[in-house]
């Protein structure tokens, strides 16, 4: 074995969270090494697909709002540092019945935190957002403070800036073992050994296999398949580029989402969660378990039909997708994140279980993880994501 590589902090996984963490560490002058098993911006995990929603009136819980606000500030810092436009501020629209989580949760978050939103009736939605085929009893919540983050572009920008600030980046490097230690934890990549003061593990779907002692982390992390579809515009309504990102709660409890056209030709939609009690049978795209080393099953005709059913809620969109992509959700039992130091694994900081709604927070997560690695604590509001909350 070659002589060990020495550094202050190792970041394992340079996807959404790891790339941001590495940049934050490097810009603070901390000697850091980033390790990525593929190449930054790859499509093998959970950080691809060209766009991710960011919104502030958070339907998943009003307690997230301070963290979203921190993320907005951190995205602006990355845009300024990179000189790139990484967030399209087009607004966000939540649709559903008055008692749906999309409407009720968004309004609750807005009320608690004094967020400026518009509460729209079905008639108001029809006049304001003609792309959406709205049922008579449905309502909407629109916030200007919303939009789309560009995931691959943001990862590449953060890694580029980290390198420019002095970080070392190892790509095509699969970590075989992480050995905790209170003083000098070790990361092993085949015959290569890296010794550090801290190791930050942001390995996404690979987190359970890299850290098997964390079997109870996240209440038992599980990796699930999801499918995204891009649908051609037909030109029957005004250009979709003027519309906001959206999420829609169907009467049966299915929650799906979509984006305005970023390429001028297609719109992207996906399903976040199926209706409660929907069967999770083999061949079903939502809830299907995934081995991350194998990757999610490629999209097929059943996926195309399932996504196509949702386009009945949109005007001027073809009924079948032009193309599709599969990705992975890494789920915790309560669908809230895991961010923090782990008391049983000295020297390690972990982040994972983002449960399909974490990318918008990546900029703030990176900041929090860099704080935790450097100082052992952070002023950012991450206490609700304590890895030990299931103990």
């Amino acid at each position: 074995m070659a002589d060990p590589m020495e550094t202050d902090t190792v970041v394992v996984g340079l996807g959404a969270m790891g790339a941001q963490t590495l940049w934050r560490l490097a810009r603070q002058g901390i000697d850091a090494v980033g390790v990525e098993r593929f190449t930054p911006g790859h499509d093998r995990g959970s950080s691809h697909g060209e766009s991710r929603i960011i919104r502030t009136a958070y339907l998943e819980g009003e307690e997230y709002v301070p963290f979203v606000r921190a993320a907005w500030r951190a995205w602006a810092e990355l845009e300024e540092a990179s000189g790139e436009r990484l967030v399209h501020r087009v607004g966000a629209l939540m649709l559903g019945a008055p008692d749906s989580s999309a409407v009720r949760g968004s309004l609750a978050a807005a009320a608690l935190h004094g967020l400026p939103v518009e509460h729209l009736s079905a008639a108001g939605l029809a006049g304001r957002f003609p792309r959406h085929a709205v049922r008579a009893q449905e309502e909407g919540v629109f916030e200007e403070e919303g939009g789309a983050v560009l995931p691959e572009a943001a990862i590449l920008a953060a890694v580029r800036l980290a390198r420019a600030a002095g970080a070392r980046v190892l790509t095509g490097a699969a970590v075989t073992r992480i050995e905790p230690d209170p003083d000098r934890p070790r990361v092993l990549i085949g015959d290569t050994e890296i010794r550090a003061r801290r190791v930050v593990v942001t390995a996404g779907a690979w987190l359970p296999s890299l850290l098997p002692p964390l079997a109870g982390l996240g209440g038992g992390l599980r990796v699930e398949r999801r499918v995204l579809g891009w649908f051609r515009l037909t030109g029957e309504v005004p250009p979709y580029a003027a519309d906001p990102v959206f999420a829609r709660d169907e009467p049966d409890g299915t929650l799906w989402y979509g984006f305005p056209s970023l390429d001028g030709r297609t719109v992207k939609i996906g399903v976040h969660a199926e209706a409660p009690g929907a069967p999770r049978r083999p061949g079903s795209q939502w809830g299907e378990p995934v081995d991350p080393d194998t990757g999610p099953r490629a999209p097929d005709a059943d996926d195309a039909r399932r996504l196509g059913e949702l386009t009945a809620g949109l005007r001027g969109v073809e009924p079948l997708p032009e193309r599709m992509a599969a990705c992975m959700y890494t789920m915790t039992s309560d669908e809230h994140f895991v961010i923090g130091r782990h008391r049983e694994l000295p020297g390690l900081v972990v982040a994972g279980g983002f449960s399909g709604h974490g990318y918008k927070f990546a900029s703030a997560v990176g900041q929090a993880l860099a704080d935790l690695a450097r100082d052992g604590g952070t002023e950012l509001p991450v206490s609700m994501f304590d890895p030990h909350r299931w103990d």
Side-chain angles (χ1 to χ4, degrees), residues 245-384:
V245 300
F246 72 89
R248 187 163 185 170
D249 225 331
E250 296 291 349
D252 67 358
T254 298
L255 182 62
W256 61 291
Y257 60 90
F259 296 81
S261 180
L262 299 179
D263 61 10
R265 297 178 57 257
T266 62
V267 300
K268 187 184 95 174
I269 67 172
V271 173
H272 176 69
E274 282 280 29
R280 293 189 173 188
R281 65 188 189 283
S284 171
Q285 62 161 294
W286 293 279
E288 180 181 337
V290 178
D291 176 349
D293 288 330
T294 303
R297 184 170 52 82
D300 58 20
D302 286 339
D303 298 317
R305 283 192 292 271
R306 176 67 184 98
L307 289 172
E309 292 171 359
L310 301 173
T311 62
L314 298 173
R315 296 188 177 92
V317 176
E318 294 285 354
L320 289 175
E322 177 180 271
R323 59 187 172 98
M324 295 183 289
C327 68
M328 296 182 286
Y329 275 17
T330 304
M331 308 290 293
T332 62
S333 61
D334 61 10
E335 299 188 13
H336 300 309
F337 314 150
V338 170
I339 302 172
R341 298 176 65 185
H342 202 283
R343 60 175 176 248
E344 296 171 12
L345 296 173
L348 301 193
V349 178
V350 298
F354 289 95
S355 302
H357 64 112
Y359 195 98
K360 65 183 71 64
F361 298 97
S363 58
V365 172
Q367 185 177 346
L369 294 174
D371 292 345
L372 289 164
R374 184 191 63 226
D375 303 326
T378 181
E379 295 182 356
L380 289 168
V382 298
S383 60
M384 67 178 284

Side-chain angles (χ1 to χ4, degrees), residues 173-222:
V175 172
T176 50
R177 192 162 76 253
I178 298 172
E179 296 186 353
D181 184 273
D183 298 315
R184 302 298 287 178
R186 299 190 302 159
V187 174
L188 301 180
I189 307 167
D191 291 334
T192 300
E193 177 183 317
I194 309 175
R195 293 178 181 173
R197 185 181 63 87
R198 279 285 184 272
V199 176
V200 180
V201 188
T202 54
W206 287 268
L207 187 62
S209 60
L210 275 179
L211 298 176
L214 296 182
L217 183 74
L221 292 175
R222 65 187 191 277

